[in-house]
Amino acid sequence: MAGSTTNMSVRSFKHVAARVFHRVVELIARALFSIVYFGSKDKVSPINNMLLLESASSLAFKIRTQKVTSVEVVQSFIDRINETNPIINGVVDTRFSAALEEAKAADELIASGLKSETVLAKEKPFLGVPFTTKECLQSEGLCHCAGLYKRRCLKGTKDADAVAHMKRAGAILLAVTNVSELAMWWESHNYVHGRSRNSYDTSRIVGGSSGGEGTVLSAGASPIGIGSDIGGSIRMPAFFNGIFGHKPSKFIVSNEGQFPCPSDEEHSSFLGLGPMSRFASDLLPTLRVIADKNASKLKLDEKIDMKKIKVFYAEDDGGSFLISPVDPDIKASLRNVITYLEKAHGIKAQKVSLDLLRISGPIWLARMKSRGISRFAQELSNNEGNFKVGWELVKWLLCMSRHTLIALFTVIMEGLGEPYGSPKHQHLVEKSNQLEMQINDLLGNDGVFLYPTHPTPAPYHNEPLIKPFNFSYSAIFNIMGFPATAIPLGLGSEGLPIGIQAVGTYGNDHLTIAMAVELEKAFGGWVAPSVSV
């Protein structure tokens, strides 16, 4: 017994020592990055065109009622892309001429009077409204390489299902946006399109893999976007760029057309395609469109009484190993939300401690494991023979590799981790199932869990290499197939966006989106990166 206690004490000491060491490394790295990027901070220019400040839903109504033409709207966003993209590098391929032709056709349909405004609103709710999507979602005629150099010349031959649904709803595709290499990292950088930059501070990341989408929306260069999320790839870019993003319940939105796309049902359940927007009011109507027939599985038309929503929250994960502490600004914003909900709606939110959240990272990594050889290595080779990671590392050191360093590290980590089916792997899968049951029992069908989307505001470029596991705050909910909505809550002390996420149980997307709509009213939602004086 005494020996067991001693062993536990030794393990505890080693754990604390490792956490302290990692924190010191983080602080030193942050100091070095601040020196490297000193004086390089820049922002996008102020938004002067008032059309760019409208929600997609508002634009759709004004176009249908001929208060503004689709051509005017589309041209306004084209101009804004041309103005901001040299700074943020979010857009990587465009179809401006075709978009203007489609806008002209939309205006002609409306002017013809063949269909009433009511009919058009039902049949084509986004008629004449432009939108963008990340380039790893296939869009006919546009780049579809997912940041992989070997695929740099590939163009989409058809539209991904979600893109096609948006087009059938009358929306007009303007452009596709940048991603991380093979959409598997939380900084959007690759050797095909380069690095995307944050609209609030160009020395900071935009997140990934939907990072290009996040910064384009934040800059006011698109009214609505479609992202994908297997480990936080909608919610982290939404958080870093101060916009809203929703990862739907599993299997609600088709993954068809996403590259790379999971090959088995379990991993497909972790991936969710969803809407991203500067305005919470756009999330639900966009989700309804891209979910298509599956929208009937959700309660999107259910009227929400905020007073009847049960709210639970946690300020952090309880102290995960090798995870950054939650920034004080983020904790303060969460406390402000809890105070507001009680004063405005009489909701007495319950603070909870879910111990298994501390191993969110290991759980996600274990659940992403698959039988056989490294899937990521196969994808990096574009499924064309063996991928020699050692040789690629040598080439990277000689500035000859066409792969990002983090992609090479990912291959190594995938090979070094716990093998699929091993006792440790099975143990983590069991813990994953336990956590899912705990959250289901806690929330039921009328509860929402408020939790940090990410522990820190947007880091400097390349800084995620020092804190690679911070993505676990969002990734854990992909494993459970739960809906989760990223909600911006203004700017922190560094002038960067901060916010939280609202998580619900399966099929309760309407609750997390309702929370986003409510908190946008209370706290203002998106804040423009630059203000025109």
Side-chain angles (χ1 to χ4, degrees):
M1 185 70 175
S4 176
T5 302
T6 301
N7 289 337
M8 289 178 62
S9 298
V10 170
R11 286 197 297 269
S12 178
F13 173 77
K14 288 182 178 179
H15 181 82
V16 172
R19 287 189 64 195
V20 170
F21 175 76
H22 181 255
R23 184 59 181 150
V24 170
V25 170
E26 276 193 340
L27 293 172
I28 293 173
R30 166 49 66 102
L32 291 175
F33 279 115
S34 65
I35 292 171
V36 169
Y37 288 106
F38 180 76
S40 63
K41 178 177 180 178
D42 198 6
K43 295 181 180 181
V44 297
S45 56
I47 297 174
N48 296 309
N49 185 334
M50 293 300 102
L51 286 175
L52 304 178
L53 296 174
E54 299 269 3
S55 69
S57 302
S58 173
L59 289 171
F61 173 76
K62 289 186 175 181
I63 290 170
R64 287 196 304 270
T65 54
Q66 301 185 66
K67 292 180 173 62
V68 66
T69 67
S70 175
V71 169
E72 288 178 86
V73 172
V74 169
Q75 187 63 60
S76 294
F77 282 99
I78 290 173
D79 292 343
R80 183 63 176 172
I81 289 173
N82 288 332
E83 179 184 5
T84 59
N85 209 53
I87 300 169
I88 60 176
N89 190 36
V91 166
V92 297
D93 201 4
T94 64
R95 58 187 301 278
F96 291 162
S97 296
L100 286 169
E101 287 299 315
E102 291 167 12
K104 182 180 178 182
D107 289 332
E108 290 173 350
L109 172 62
I110 294 166
S112 71
L114 294 174
K115 293 187 177 183
S116 68
E117 190 271 329
T118 303
V119 171
L120 288 175
K122 182 178 180 180
E123 294 182 355
K124 293 183 178 295
F126 287 114
L127 180 60
V129 177
F131 77 105
T132 47
T133 186
K134 61 195 296 188
E135 70 99 60
C136 64
L137 289 182
Q138 187 171 190
S139 301
E140 185 178 4
L142 296 180
C143 184
H144 182 51
C145 70
L148 186 64
Y149 191 79
K150 275 194 171 184
R151 291 172 56 93
R152 66 192 181 280
C153 296
L154 289 180
K155 300 282 187 178
T157 56
K158 62 178 183 178
D159 291 325
D161 284 353
V163 175
H165 294 329
M166 286 294 288
K167 287 185 175 181
R168 279 197 291 273
I172 297 171
L173 182 63
L174 272 187
V176 290
T177 53
N178 203 20
V179 297
S180 52
E181 188 173 9
L182 282 180
M184 280 297 288
W185 182 234
W186 50 283
E187 178 168 9
S188 293
H189 169 235
N190 57 71
Y191 284 115
V192 181
H193 305 302
R195 189 185 305 277
S196 294
R197 293 176 284 274
N198 195 295
S199 297
Y200 296 84
D201 179 347
T202 53
S203 69
R204 305 300 183 111
I205 73 168
V206 298
S209 60
S210 309
E213 195 63 37
T215 192
V216 166
L217 289 162
S218 177
S222 174
I224 195 76
I226 307 300
S228 59
D229 188 321
I230 198 169
S233 291
I234 286 175
R235 287 160 292 148
M236 283 191 293
F239 168 77
F240 292 139
N241 294 284
I243 62 171
F244 295 88
H246 179 71
K247 184 204 81 68
S249 296
K250 63 182 179 181
F251 297 134
I252 290 298
V253 180
S254 169
N255 292 331
E256 186 65 34
Q258 158 85 19
F259 179 84
C261 191
S263 57
D264 60 87
E265 186 175 28
E266 180 182 48
H267 288 89
S268 292
S269 74
F270 304 156
L271 176 64
L273 273 62
M276 301 173 70
S277 175
R278 285 171 290 142
F279 302 99
S281 58
D282 286 331
L283 297 179
L284 193 145
T286 308
L287 177 59
R288 181 181 283 110
V289 166
I290 62 177
D292 197 37
K293 295 178 181 179
N294 284 336
S296 62
K297 297 178 181 179
L298 304 178
K299 294 164 274 189
L300 300 182
D301 294 319
E302 185 173 296
K303 188 173 178 62
I304 303 297
D305 182 351
M306 289 298 299
K307 291 179 171 58
K308 293 183 179 180
I309 297 179
K310 296 176 182 176
V311 177
F312 305 86
Y313 73 100
E315 294 182 358
D316 55 41
D317 60 7
S320 294
F321 183 55
L322 298 183
I323 305 294
S324 301
V326 175
D327 188 272
D329 286 341
I330 297 172
K331 286 189 174 183
S333 69
L334 177 52
R335 293 184 195 122
N336 290 338
V337 166
I338 300 307
T339 300
Y340 165 77
L341 291 174
E342 182 169 7
K343 289 183 176 180
H345 299 288
I347 298 173
K348 294 187 180 297
Q350 180 182 338
K351 188 174 185 179
V352 295
S353 177
L354 299 170
D355 290 341
L356 290 176
L357 286 175
R358 284 202 298 266
I359 56 171
S360 294
I363 286 175
W364 186 86
L365 291 169
R367 296 298 300 272
M368 289 296 290
K369 283 284 182 181
S370 59
R371 297 179 185 274
I373 61 175
S374 168
R375 293 185 302 124
F376 194 67
Q378 286 180 305
E379 298 290 0
L380 279 181
S381 70
N382 199 30
N383 296 304
E384 298 171 357
N386 294 326
F387 183 81
K388 299 177 181 178
V389 67
W391 174 234
E392 285 297 332
L393 280 170
V394 172
K395 289 168 63 178
W396 189 89
L397 290 170
L398 297 174
C399 300
M400 295 172 60
S401 178
R402 298 295 188 178
H403 298 289
T404 57
L405 182 61
I406 192 60
L408 303 180
F409 281 169
T410 301
V411 173
I412 294 171
M413 291 301 295
E414 192 175 34
L416 293 178
E418 289 293 331
Y420 180 91
S422 69
K424 179 65 173 178
H425 175 265
Q426 292 177 340
H427 171 75
L428 288 168
V429 171
E430 290 173 6
K431 293 299 182 185
S432 171
N433 294 333
Q434 288 177 23
L435 180 58
E436 182 176 345
M437 289 177 60
Q438 287 176 8
I439 297 177
N440 268 315
D441 290 343
L442 181 71
L443 301 184
N445 286 316
D446 57 358
V448 168
F449 178 53
L450 302 181
Y451 190 57
T453 316
H454 193 84
T456 72
Y460 290 104
H461 296 298
N462 293 312
E463 194 178 354
L465 291 168
I466 308 299
K467 45 186 78 170
F469 303 113
N470 281 0
F471 75 96
S472 64
Y473 269 80
S474 53
I476 188 63
F477 302 111
N478 292 79
I479 298 304
M480 303 167 195
F482 290 159
T485 308
I487 305 170
L489 294 170
L491 306 182
S493 56
E494 295 183 273
L496 298 168
I498 56 174
I500 58 173
Q501 61 182 322
V503 181
T505 52
Y506 177 82
N508 289 302
D509 302 57
H510 64 302
L511 295 182
T512 67
I513 291 175
M515 183 61 69
V517 171
E518 180 65 25
L519 296 184
E520 180 182 38
K521 294 176 184 175
F523 295 94
W526 168 76
V527 178
S530 297
V531 179
S532 181
V533 179

